[in-house]
């Protein structure tokens, strides 16, 4: 449901199910039950779904930060 899909040309699209809009943001999160504190997972978000991802993760205590996603930079997963 939340993988960071890519178009055939390599551009990343929003991770929200059934959304094909370009990902403009990377929403960074961490599940402390599964990940070490410094680890960050990332979901790509379009302008319409950025808030949805932040609220979804925030309600679960998983959201860490949201950063702009430039086309020439990798996602901030670590």
């Amino acid at each position: 449901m939340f993988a960071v899909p890519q178009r055939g040309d390599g551009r990343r699209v929003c991770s929200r199910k059934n959304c094909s809009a370009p990902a403009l943001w990377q929403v960074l999160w961490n599940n402390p039950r599964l990940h070490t504190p410094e680890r960050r997972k990332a979901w790509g978000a379009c302008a319409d779904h950025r808030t949805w991802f932040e609220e979804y993760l925030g309600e679960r205590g998983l959201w860490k930060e949201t950063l702009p996603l430039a086309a020439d930079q990798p996602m901030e997963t670590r």
Side-chain angles (χ1 to χ4, degrees):
M1 178 170 159
F2 300 116
V4 182
Q6 291 187 344
R7 293 183 175 153
D9 61 7
R11 290 185 294 156
R12 289 168 279 206
V13 297
C14 182
S15 298
R16 183 74 167 111
K17 186 176 181 180
N18 296 322
C19 183
S20 60
L24 304 174
W25 301 94
Q26 50 186 332
V27 182
L28 303 178
W29 60 279
N30 171 295
N31 184 339
R33 291 180 288 170
L34 302 175
H35 308 124
T36 59
E38 66 279 352
R39 176 126 189 234
R40 294 292 179 268
K41 302 287 283 179
W43 286 336
C46 67
D48 291 341
H49 291 119
R50 174 186 173 180
T51 302
W52 185 91
F53 280 115
E54 291 170 345
E55 290 174 356
Y56 176 88
L57 293 165
E59 289 171 359
R60 292 157 179 80
L62 306 177
W63 179 77
K64 297 302 179 189
E65 66 181 319
T66 301
L67 301 172
L69 179 60
D72 61 342
Q73 80 181 116
M75 296 288 277
E76 289 287 330
T77 57
R78 54 180 181 257

